[in-house]
Amino acid sequence: MFFVPQIWEMTEKKVTLSAAATLAGFSGYAKEVAEGWIAEFGTGDAPFAVTAENDAALPAEGYDITLAADRIAIRYADERGAIYAAVTLRQLSECGELTEGHLADAP
């Protein structure tokens, strides 16, 4: 089952996740999920960055994701927010819905 985030502003322009993507700002289980997602869905070797940073201004367990052609930037409120962001990206990849845009969610 896939839950639609509270904010979902996506374009039609596909984002191609690179197998050579660099990953920064994740730790613990969120890092494991993100690394597995890149390993499973990444293709090619184009420069690509996935960055994550803590943002205490977000609601508890919340996240904010911006997707662009060469990067994905994630802001998260806490460890659960980071995990939810990584899982959301994995789910979008499984559905073939990784496109440029912005999405955000919190319980």
Side-chain angles (χ1 to χ4, degrees), residues 1 5 33 45 57-58 72 78 97-98 107:
M1 181 182 296
V33 172
D45 59 0
L58 291 171
I72 297 174
D78 49 32
E97 295 296 326
L98 208 56

Side-chain angles (χ1 to χ4, degrees), residues 22-36:
T22 58
L23 185 64
F26 281 108
S27 63
Y29 184 64
K31 183 176 181 181
E32 290 178 37
V33 172
E35 288 173 338

Side-chain angles (χ1 to χ4, degrees), residues 7-11 100-103:
I7 296 174
W8 180 278
E9 302 164 342
M10 308 303 278
T11 69
E100 288 188 6
H102 173 248
L103 54 114

Side-chain angles (χ1 to χ4, degrees), residues 73-89:
I74 301 161
R75 295 183 303 121
Y76 59 89
D78 49 32
E79 184 177 354
R80 285 184 184 255
I83 292 168
Y84 296 152
V87 169
T88 296
L89 288 168

